[in-house]
Amino acid sequence: MIRFALTKFLGLAATLLVAAAITFAALDILPGDPARFILGINATPDAVAALREQLGLDAPALQRFFGWIGGMFVGDFGLSYTQGQPVGQLIAGRLGVTIPLTVIAMILSAGIGLPIGILAARRRGSFADAGLMVLAQLGVAIPNFWFGMLLVLLFSVTLRWLPPGGFVPWGENPFAAFASLILPSIALALPQAAILARVMRTALVDVQGSDYIRTARAKGLTLSEAVWKHGVRNAMLPVLTILGLQFAYLVAGTVIVENVFYLPGLGRLIFDAISARDLILVRSSVIILVLAVIGTMFLTDLAYAWVDPRLRSRKAE
Amino acid sequence: MALLKVDELTVRFGGTPVLDAVSFEIGKGQRFGVIGESGSGKTMSALAIMGLLPEDAELSGTLIFDREPLPADEEARAKLRGKRIAMVFQEPMTSLNPLEKAGAQVAEAMHLAGQAQGDPRADVERLFVEVGLEPGHAARYPHELSGGQRQRVMIAMALAGKPDLLICDEPTSALDLITQRKVIDLIDRICSDRGMALMFISHDLKAVAALCTKIMVVRRGKVVEMGDKLDVLGHPKHDYTKLLLAAGRHRARTLMRAPISGDMLVARDLTKRFRQPDVSIFEPRPPLTALDGVNFTIRSGESLALVGPSGSGKSTLARIIVGLDRATKGELEFDHQVYHGTDLPRTLRRDISLVFQDPFGSFNPRLTIGESVAEPLRLEQGAEFDELGRRIVEVVQAVGLSPDMLNRFPHEFSGGQRQRFAIARALITRPRLVVLDEPVSALDVSVRGEVLVLLNRLRADYGLTFLVISHDLDMVRIVADRVMVMDKGRIIETGTPAQLLDKPQEPLTKELIAASLPDVGIVPVL
Amino acid sequence: MTDLPAPEKRVWLRHPSLRIGAVASLVFLLVGFVSIAWVPYPIEVINVGAAMQDPSPAHWLGTDHLGRDMLSMIMKGTLTSFVVAAIAVAIGALIGVPLGLAAAAWGGPAEWFILRVNDFLFAFPALIIAILITTIFGPSAINAMIAVGIFNIPVFARVARGGALSLKTLDYVGAARLAGMGPIEIARRHILPNIASLIIVQATIQLALGILAEASLSYVGLGTQPPATSLGLMLKDAQTYALLKPSLALIPGITIILIVVALNLAGDGLRDQLDPKLRRLGGARGAA
């Protein structure tokens, strides 16, 4: 198991390095000189050259790349040249919004999606199953930002229960901070919950038809006992894969939802950086997103191996 | 008083009956055999007794077990399963929960049947020993066990509740010959030891004959014949039973053969290693040696059989000879041209052909049979279009089919017909060497005989040379002039069928021959 | 001569969700195509005096904050959404399917490499790709297509590889090799026709996802740019006025949902249709 984890971890590190290289290269070939962008069209060539040197833009690409990577290891992400602050500090400030938002959304989507999927599978063919699956079909089709707009209209504008947007820092008022994340995480979670419900149902229905469920029943279990004791764990395998992938969508989704609710998270930071052409900020934020996604996939792999002995066994006969 | 009484049992799917008013009785401790081909409904009878029919099945008729009707309610039925009636299924690969250790799965069965007294681990070990497993196997996951071992775990699980009736549905058909025999012997022994009634379902006449005292023959959902073993097998009344018996002991006519002459194909030190996927980059695995220095010669005009247990390298050898795979070491010489497998020159490809084992997988479902059969003709460069058309007609007629079937799609044909088309495809380039990989093992017993007769006739008519791969020794006796026995990638013994089958030298050959069950019945008159 | 045997064809039409989904998808597609030739009102004309009208015989769905006819906007927007999603699917399928087939055909290092690239692309959701592309080339519908298309590549590669691997071991592929066919010819004659259905199902699903992705990208300003319009862009505009006039947000939102549900229904229906278990049953019936 440890070796399995170590192998996967090396894979993760390699992927991350490639991701960093591609991001760096993509942004490095960007037409337009950041120094000129900062100083404006009327700047003298001398001033531009001076700023380039100050920003370290005149060094060879390879040197700058490894400088960037090496810096990230010690928490130095460089200096944002539009905001004049260390990028690490900017990103860290935003994670207080984005991480809770993602985690709450993940918990919501699993907490809603999985039970619905199990219920529908156990009552396959019933009215409840049909109804739940129609809801899931709709849930999958709803754009999360649009759903967010509706939530604001209903709960903030009409009912005035929750704030329509913005964010109160955790240090100021934790309850208000939490309250401002409720609607955004629901908007993020709902489509994902619908997907999970569908995957869970399919997986469980497949498992119900499997030979080992038949064996378990032949041993003296009823169908529902057999499904609970032997089916659910097997059905979790495909669900785990989807959970891992979903995290990627959730991370990406925060970028959108933070826009709907005017949340000062990582997503908004990226947008501001794009419009300001703040390359250093963009590339570091993108790498943080990619790290989150790849890291989750790594955890998914571990969880998968923990559930499935076929993956961690040495004898693969 | 019968232990199980089945009366007018009918099972339908969407109105179509798969079992039609079947009635039979199994007495206490009786051994009851059910014979039928795939799709005859024999499995459905077992599932109906267990209460494990698919949800969409409609069931009618009465099932009486130990004087009580079997309850329809799932919970009441579950209490009988395992404790009173247990079942061993056909597919050992998928019938165990892949995420739980074998021992735990058996222990669960004991617990459910209320048989777990004292130390559960000791109980499981005792059962494992009884079915011929080592106690250490209990700590393994299903994927760490071989097919035969898994089937033993299944049997241990079925025995855990000390049932009165054990139902076995084709328990050996997914296993290789030697393991098959061992599992049949095991079932025989435990039924005697425990005085347990047995319902043994199989398409294999010999296995049923070896185990059972009463036999029921099922065809298309109906009972065609039922009675004591000696009556049914000795004096079959129904034509279908006669056909099955005849197929089980096929005797092919001796035909004029092309004289056996010089060497056609020579294999020298053929070795094939497969790279195995590493467990991780820290744990590389050594390559798997499928062929380990194989030397042999096929002479022009002969029929050479290659036998051996599964995994012995037979199919790998065939794939290299026809050019689907490449040898790691060593070489082949055909017609004075040296090759190593995939580098078989295009000009020689028309001379060597292959008949695949599975007639269902060997035709593209989206192409007509004619398009598939004609496919190898692209190797015949420079031939006239009309000539090629004549070839197709000729070869289809030669395998006993009609050319107007060529515009139809594969699913419209039976397994036997498809295998005839597969043979036609192999012959269309007029090859000299035909490699046949288990040519009848995927076919129903009743059509195997006719395909073998066809093969012998084609060989005589066209002067073909055969390399026949098989695990069926009866078949080898009929079609082969010479036999090679293979084990673990090596050829361990060679001789004529008579020499090898009657006086085997090597332990494996002896084991193979001992594994084949005795012939059944008297020669039927068709 | 027919491609499919007759019994399969009848079942094809019998499946209710497939029929509903396919018909509804075609209706939306048709509405989109009509907008090329004709819309009730030109959407380039701004008439602030007629802004935010309720539905009326003149404007069936009312007008937006610039006085543009909502029905015309929806028609044009539907077309844009479809086109962006369809081109993204085409990019994904045209690159992904050959990659998947190549991985299955060659195995070894080639397969390893393709799989790693695949995993890698999975780690970049479409939005992150879009952010990168937009930063470099600026926002536009074309860049949105490329971003979603790149994200589609690994999906199609995986489907094609999975399908090809399951077919590769079948004997008819071996028979084709014996008949002297090369890998490309085998892929064309034996593999592609048999996995085409899988790919079509996946394309339907990706089309639905693509429409959602286009909406998201346009909503945050990385996709379609005015004066062109798309359903996502309409929602972006509506956000400001949603309080005053919720129908500005409701109409395009519901349109997106209906299109996506229609496509998903069609995809689900098709997949049920092609479920190996169901097919095996049909095959057995055919043989009997």
Side-chain angles (χ1 to χ4, degrees):
Chain A
M1 184 75 192
I2 293 168
R3 289 183 170 183
F4 177 85
L6 220 61
T7 311
K8 285 282 171 193
F9 184 77
L10 283 184
L12 171 139
T15 312
L16 205 56
L17 193 69
V18 177
I22 289 180
T23 312
F24 181 85
L27 294 178
D28 211 53
I29 58 163
L30 188 76
D33 184 347
R36 183 166 290 283
F37 191 81
I38 294 167
L39 293 174
I41 306 169
N42 299 327
T44 62
D46 283 350
V48 171
L51 186 62
R52 282 180 62 91
E53 201 185 326
Q54 188 198 333
L55 293 172
L57 290 175
D58 52 349
L62 217 57
Q63 189 186 329
R64 280 182 289 129
F65 175 64
F66 284 108
W68 175 50
I69 299 281
M72 281 199 284
F73 269 105
V74 294
D76 172 17
F77 290 75
L79 203 66
S80 159
Y81 40 71
T82 53
Q83 311 208 13
Q85 281 185 52
V87 170
Q89 217 172 331
L90 281 171
I91 290 176
R94 302 301 182 94
L95 291 181
V97 174
T98 302
I99 289 178
L101 179 61
T102 322
V103 171
I104 298 172
M106 196 80 198
I107 293 171
L108 274 178
S109 80
I112 299 170
L114 298 184
I116 287 182
I118 293 175
L119 189 74
R122 294 296 300 123
R123 306 252 170 105
R124 186 156 58 109
S126 74
F127 205 72
D129 175 26
L132 287 173
M133 283 306 111
V134 168
L135 278 184
Q137 188 71 262
L138 280 177
V140 171
I142 292 179
N144 52 18
F145 60 91
W146 182 75
F147 188 58
M149 284 159 70
L150 293 194
L151 288 176
V152 169
L153 280 180
L154 179 62
F155 291 102
S156 309
V157 178
T158 314
L159 297 172
R160 297 184 179 280
W161 288 353
L162 290 162
F167 186 73
V168 184
W170 291 97
E172 236 167 75
N173 182 349
F175 294 105
F178 183 73
S180 45
L181 291 182
I182 292 178
L183 290 184
S185 37
I186 293 176
L188 258 181
L190 181 97
Q192 303 299 331
I195 294 174
L196 267 188
R198 283 163 57 98
V199 172
M200 185 76 225
R201 178 182 178 275
T202 312
L204 211 52
V205 166
D206 281 355
V207 159
Q208 279 177 35
S210 69
D211 288 340
Y212 55 82
I213 290 294
R214 196 176 61 182
T215 307
R217 293 177 70 196
K219 284 199 265 189
L221 293 170
T222 62
L223 177 60
S224 27
E225 288 167 347
V227 169
W228 275 115
K229 285 194 180 162
H230 295 272
V232 172
R233 217 167 138 215
N234 275 289
M236 279 316 284
L237 293 177
V239 174
L240 262 178
T241 312
I242 299 295
L243 269 175
L245 281 179
Q246 281 209 324
F247 192 80
Y249 285 95
L250 282 182
V251 167
T254 55
V255 176
I256 309 263
V257 167
E258 283 169 7
N259 264 290
V260 183
F261 291 92
Y262 303 104
L263 291 174
L266 198 55
R268 297 264 297 167
L269 184 69
I270 292 180
F271 272 98
D272 297 343
I274 291 176
S275 38
R277 302 223 138 210
D278 192 341
L279 296 194
I280 295 181
L281 193 48
V282 171
R283 73 182 180 202
S284 293
S285 321
V286 164
I287 283 301
I288 293 289
L289 287 184
V290 172
L291 172 69
V293 171
I294 297 179
T296 320
M297 286 182 170
F298 170 65
L299 292 179
T300 315
D301 280 343
L302 289 193
Y304 211 110
W306 178 64
V307 177
D308 191 343
R310 285 166 290 191
L311 277 182
R312 62 185 126 96
S313 124
R314 293 194 206 170
K315 251 174 279 162
E317 285 306 311
Chain B
M1 189 64 205
L3 178 68
L4 174 75
K5 190 167 187 302
V6 174
D7 203 25
E8 299 277 311
L9 174 66
T10 301
V11 176
R12 289 172 208 272
F13 286 96
T16 322
V18 291
L19 265 189
D20 195 358
V22 169
S23 304
F24 61 90
E25 285 183 14
I26 302 178
K28 283 198 173 109
Q30 193 179 38
R31 313 263 199 98
F32 185 80
V34 182
I35 297 176
E37 291 175 348
S38 54
S40 61
K42 54 193 197 308
T43 297
M44 288 303 153
S45 65
L47 294 180
I49 295 166
M50 292 294 286
L52 294 177
L53 282 172
E55 277 171 36
D56 51 341
E58 306 149 40
L59 177 118
S60 67
T62 49
L63 296 162
I64 294 171
F65 182 75
D66 206 8
R67 283 177 243 180
E68 304 268 342
L70 283 170
D73 170 54
E74 167 77 1
E75 223 165 291
R77 196 62 166 275
K79 289 206 175 83
L80 285 173
R81 291 196 291 252
K83 254 179 271 183
R84 305 294 311 272
I85 313 175
M87 183 161 172
V88 175
F89 297 95
Q90 179 174 6
E91 305 85 5
M93 296 301 163
T94 52
S95 290
L96 292 170
N97 183 347
L99 306 184
E100 266 185 34
K101 289 179 181 168
Q105 300 191 42
V106 175
E108 185 192 20
M110 284 190 143
H111 175 75
L112 284 168
Q115 294 290 343
Q117 307 122 350
D119 181 11
R121 190 183 290 176
D123 286 343
V124 169
E125 280 185 7
R126 194 173 34 73
L127 260 182
F128 268 53
V129 172
E130 183 178 352
V131 297
L133 288 166
E134 287 163 31
H137 286 137
R140 293 209 191 164
Y141 287 99
H143 71 273
E144 296 167 329
L145 298 169
S146 70
Q149 287 168 335
R150 285 185 223 193
Q151 204 57 300
R152 283 169 199 266
V153 173
M154 286 294 294
I155 294 171
M157 218 183 272
L159 294 180
K162 301 196 174 144
D164 304 305
L165 172 64
L166 176 67
I167 304 176
C168 294
D169 181 17
E170 301 264 15
T172 61
S173 60
L175 306 174
D176 72 60
L177 198 66
I178 295 173
T179 319
Q180 263 182 23
R181 178 61 189 265
K182 287 181 178 160
V183 169
I184 285 174
D185 288 348
L186 172 68
I187 293 172
D188 189 24
R189 179 168 57 79
I190 50 186
C191 284
S192 307
D193 291 354
R194 294 177 171 232
M196 189 168 52
L198 173 72
M199 177 171 171
F200 187 86
I201 300 169
S202 181
H203 69 275
D204 184 351
L205 218 60
K206 287 181 179 179
V208 173
L211 276 173
C212 302
T213 51
K214 197 174 168 190
I215 290 178
M216 173 167 91
V217 183
V218 186
R219 190 189 195 198
R220 291 182 192 157
K222 291 193 170 152
V223 176
V224 296
E225 194 158 355
M226 178 157 47
D228 282 341
K229 170 168 81 175
L230 292 178
D231 283 344
V232 173
L233 299 181
H235 311 282
K237 290 179 194 70
H238 196 279
D239 284 347
Y240 179 67
T241 318
K242 290 178 190 167
L243 185 73
L244 280 180
L245 276 166
R249 38 186 307 127
H250 27 238
R251 294 277 180 268
R253 288 165 291 167
T254 317
L255 293 159
M256 281 293 292
R257 283 175 186 160
I260 295 171
S261 51
D263 295 353
M264 177 179 271
L265 180 90
V266 184
R268 295 189 198 97
D269 192 29
L270 266 193
T271 302
K272 175 72 187 176
R273 294 194 193 92
F274 287 106
R275 206 174 44 199
Q276 302 195 82
D278 296 340
V279 179
S280 74
I281 53 166
F282 303 106
E283 283 173 89
R285 285 199 289 162
L288 180 88
T289 305
L291 292 179
D292 190 4
V294 168
N295 291 291
F296 68 93
T297 305
I298 303 175
R299 279 168 295 173
S300 182
E302 81 171 331
S303 171
L304 176 63
L306 184 60
V307 299
S310 61
S312 58
K314 303 182 302 248
S315 289
T316 308
L317 182 57
R319 290 175 61 86
I320 292 176
I321 291 173
V322 299
L324 281 176
D325 226 328
R326 196 186 163 98
T328 318
K329 221 177 81 190
E331 60 179 28
L332 287 156
E333 188 182 322
F334 181 84
D335 206 13
H336 309 295
Q337 292 212 44
V338 173
Y339 70 105
H340 310 85
T342 38
D343 58 344
L344 177 66
R346 205 180 159 91
T347 48
L348 282 186
R349 281 196 181 256
R350 54 182 301 275
D351 289 321
I352 305 179
S353 69
L354 175 69
V355 176
F356 292 93
Q357 174 176 9
D358 178 11
F360 292 91
S362 60
F363 288 96
N364 183 343
R366 306 249 160 205
L367 298 181
T368 62
I369 280 281
E371 287 173 289
S372 286
V373 169
E375 204 166 56
L377 286 178
R378 63 182 60 224
L379 295 169
E380 302 277 334
Q381 271 146 1
E384 295 279 325
F385 186 77
D386 291 349
E387 152 69 10
L388 295 181
R390 271 198 302 280
R391 278 263 201 109
I392 300 173
V393 171
E394 180 199 324
V395 78
V396 168
Q397 280 167 344
V399 297
L401 296 168
S402 148
D404 43 284
M405 294 173 168
L406 288 170
N407 284 330
R408 285 151 66 179
F409 286 89
H411 73 269
E412 298 175 57
F413 297 100
S414 69
Q417 285 172 319
R418 283 192 224 193
Q419 199 63 329
R420 283 168 186 264
F421 279 120
I423 293 168
R425 173 170 60 190
L427 295 183
I428 199 160
T429 56
R430 296 184 176 156
R432 287 186 283 163
L433 172 64
V434 181
V435 180
L436 302 124
D437 187 1
E438 305 269 11
V440 296
S441 67
L443 302 179
D444 277 332
V445 182
S446 56
V447 296
R448 286 183 188 179
E450 55 186 72
V451 172
L452 290 180
V453 170
L454 170 72
L455 285 175
N456 268 349
R457 201 196 70 222
L458 290 171
R459 190 178 146 219
D461 288 357
Y462 292 91
L464 300 169
T465 306
F466 279 176
L467 173 64
V468 186
I469 293 170
S470 180
H471 66 269
D472 180 353
L473 297 178
D474 291 336
M475 182 193 143
V476 166
R477 234 184 252 273
I478 297 163
V479 298
D481 303 316
R482 210 152 58 90
V483 186
M484 294 194 299
V485 184
M486 233 180 141
D487 185 31
K488 292 175 186 141
R490 293 165 182 273
I491 288 167
I492 56 169
E493 202 169 356
T494 313
T496 65
Q499 281 169 352
L500 274 188
L501 300 180
D502 300 335
K503 292 187 218 56
Q505 301 298 314
E506 292 293 320
L508 178 92
T509 322
K510 287 180 186 161
E511 215 180 331
L512 271 177
I513 288 159
S516 65
L517 293 156
D519 271 344
V520 291
I522 56 165
V523 181
V525 184
L526 277 176
Chain C
M1 202 155 89
T2 51
D3 234 341
L4 286 165
E8 278 186 37
K9 260 195 180 149
R10 264 184 282 125
V11 181
W12 212 91
L13 285 172
R14 233 187 280 142
H15 203 289
S17 87
L18 177 56
R19 207 163 37 183
I20 297 169
V23 169
S25 306
L26 286 178
V27 167
F28 278 112
L29 198 59
L30 199 69
V31 167
F33 274 118
V34 166
S35 80
I36 300 175
W38 173 83
V39 282
Y41 297 88
I43 64 161
E44 297 80 9
V45 179
I46 292 169
N47 179 4
V48 185
M52 305 223 216
Q53 287 180 7
D54 283 327
S56 65
H59 298 283
W60 287 5
L61 297 176
T63 58
D64 74 351
H65 62 289
L66 296 176
R68 295 175 293 187
D69 176 52
M70 282 293 276
L71 179 61
S72 310
M73 295 280 286
I74 290 281
M75 287 173 70
K76 286 275 190 196
T78 303
L79 180 70
T80 316
S81 295
F82 260 113
V83 168
V84 170
I87 291 181
V89 165
I91 293 174
L94 288 179
I95 301 177
V97 170
L99 277 182
L101 291 180
W106 284 312
E111 183 174 32
W112 183 90
F113 181 73
I114 291 169
L115 287 182
R116 290 295 80 75
V117 171
N118 243 357
D119 287 353
F120 183 74
L121 285 177
F122 258 124
F124 282 94
L127 194 80
I128 299 181
I129 298 174
I131 289 172
L132 280 178
I133 294 180
T134 318
T135 322
I136 301 167
F137 301 106
S140 74
I142 292 173
N143 291 340
M145 287 172 202
I146 295 172
V148 182
I150 290 178
F151 181 67
N152 278 338
I153 293 173
V155 177
F156 281 101
R158 224 163 48 160
V159 169
R161 174 173 168 266
L165 278 184
S166 67
L167 293 179
K168 192 185 164 187
T169 51
L170 286 181
D171 289 339
Y172 63 78
V173 175
R177 285 179 60 199
L178 289 181
M181 290 171 120
I184 293 170
E185 215 178 345
I186 290 178
R188 195 186 52 73
R189 182 176 160 104
H190 290 294
I191 308 274
L192 266 182
N194 283 297
I195 63 169
S197 41
L198 281 177
I199 293 171
I200 291 169
V201 170
Q202 197 61 47
T204 322
I205 294 166
Q206 293 310 117
L207 199 58
L209 284 177
I211 283 173
L212 282 176
E214 191 282 332
S216 297
L217 291 177
S218 297
Y219 170 76
V220 291
L222 299 183
T224 308
Q225 301 297 315
T229 192
S230 81
L231 298 173
L233 195 59
M234 290 175 75
L235 287 175
K236 177 186 165 74
D237 293 342
Q239 192 176 14
T240 326
Y241 304 95
L243 290 181
L244 288 168
K245 200 159 177 57
S247 68
L248 289 188
L250 285 176
I251 293 169
I254 290 171
T255 311
I256 291 177
I257 294 175
L258 288 179
I259 296 177
V260 173
V261 166
L263 286 170
N264 279 337
L265 279 180
D268 285 358
L270 258 166
R271 186 170 35 200
D272 284 356
Q273 204 53 63
L274 303 163
D275 187 300
K277 283 174 223 155
L278 300 175
R279 256 216 312 202
R280 215 181 302 138
L281 238 140
R285 241 182 259 131

